Amino acid sequence: QVFGLSSVAQVVLGKGDFGEHLSINLGFAIGVTLGIHAAGGISGAHLNAAITFTHCLLGNVPWRKFPAYLTGQFLGSFMAAATVFGLYYDALYDFSKGNFTVTGPTATASIFSTYPAPYASLAGGFFSEFMASVMLLIGILIIHDEKNNAALKGTQALLTGILVLGIGLGMGMNTGYAINPSRDLPPRVFTAIAGWGMDVFSAGHCWWWVPVIAPVLGCLAGVLIHKLFIDFHNQPALESGNKKEQPTVES
């Protein structure tokens, strides 16, 4: 999260001289890759509340672990926002002349959380977040699908980072591709405390709830699509091999 938020800060506060849209996407992709490497062996790298909820619902993760994962995600994301705030406080103050705003020519709240583009309707923004989350979950399931053409061992973190990069490159214009309640809500709470006020919850037609709900629904839809069109048609490697060998043995 620190890599992603700090890259946004450089683009916004540097007025385009220290990065652009691509650098933001790369920052978040690098952050995801390193986060998976850091926590993958400990917890399975639960970095996304929507994915954690989905795994609990499917029975892959016990519900008793859900509060601990959610608390860790919230605290980590909140502290990332606080770190970037401290790192760029002088630049924030210089850019906004000490007036931290959510909208307007010197708005800086979007450094920390996502907001819809001015042209985006609430329904259109919801659909963007929903579809981006669908693609995220399908991509993750494919990368780890041992019954299909799974990624080589050790490359899953890198490929997941590339997946996030691809989503940002193709689906980031409308809403900033939160695709993760844990990425969006804790920094929003931080900005409400740190000087931006309650406008962070009312801006964009009360946009704040969309990055919380849409990724959850998108992940559930992603699981369903993967099950219907990929998983149900797969055979475990050993079972598939036995079926191929059986006619030879019988003959």
Side-chain angles (χ1 to χ4, degrees):
Q1 187 92 335
V2 171
F3 286 96
L5 297 185
S6 58
S7 65
V8 180
Q10 282 203 160
V11 172
V12 174
L13 303 178
K15 301 177 182 178
D17 293 333
F18 294 92
E20 52 190 14
H21 182 66
L22 177 60
S23 61
I24 295 173
N25 297 325
L26 288 170
F28 277 107
I30 292 169
V32 167
T33 301
L34 292 178
I36 293 172
H37 276 296
I42 300 170
S43 68
H46 283 264
L47 310 178
N48 188 323
I51 295 177
T52 300
F53 177 82
T54 301
H55 279 304
C56 288
L57 201 63
L58 294 174
N60 298 331
V61 175
W63 279 107
R64 59 184 172 78
K65 292 186 177 182
F66 183 70
Y69 286 149
L70 202 62
T71 301
Q73 291 163 7
F74 188 100
L75 290 176
S77 188
F78 187 91
M79 290 306 299
T83 300
V84 173
F85 178 77
L87 185 66
Y88 282 108
Y89 179 79
D90 292 339
L92 278 164
Y93 197 90
D94 179 70
F95 180 83
S96 63
K97 302 298 184 282
N99 183 26
F100 297 160
T101 59
V102 179
T103 58
T106 58
T108 48
S110 61
I111 290 173
F112 301 92
S113 294
T114 63
Y115 294 87
Y119 61 80
S121 65
L122 195 63
F126 189 99
F127 184 67
S128 290
E129 285 295 322
F130 174 83
M131 283 307 305
S133 301
V134 168
M135 299 309 298
L136 174 68
L137 206 282
I138 291 176
I140 289 174
L141 291 176
I142 289 172
I143 289 170
H144 293 86
D145 191 352
E146 296 295 336
K147 293 191 295 181
N148 198 1
N149 190 21
L152 295 175
K153 186 176 181 181
T155 65
Q156 294 95 335
L158 176 61
L159 289 174
T160 305
I162 293 173
L163 171 63
V164 172
L165 173 62
I167 291 172
L169 289 174
M171 301 180 170
M173 187 174 78
N174 291 337
T175 63
Y177 74 110
I179 59 175
N180 180 359
S182 307
R183 171 263 179 273
D184 195 83
L185 185 58
R188 197 178 299 274
V189 173
F190 174 81
T191 51
I193 297 170
W196 282 265
M198 297 306 291
D199 286 349
V200 300
F201 293 103
S202 60
H205 305 289
C206 297
W207 170 258
W208 71 270
W209 64 272
V210 175
V212 175
I213 302 300
V216 174
L217 297 179
C219 285
L220 293 175
V223 167
L224 180 62
I225 292 169
H226 181 266
K227 285 286 184 185
L228 290 177
F229 295 101
I230 298 177
D231 192 51
F232 286 159
H233 305 281
N234 274 339
Q235 296 286 345
L238 183 59
E239 182 183 343
S240 177
N242 287 341
K243 285 188 176 182
K244 289 178 182 178
E245 292 173 4
Q246 189 174 356
T248 307
V249 173
E250 288 176 352
S251 63

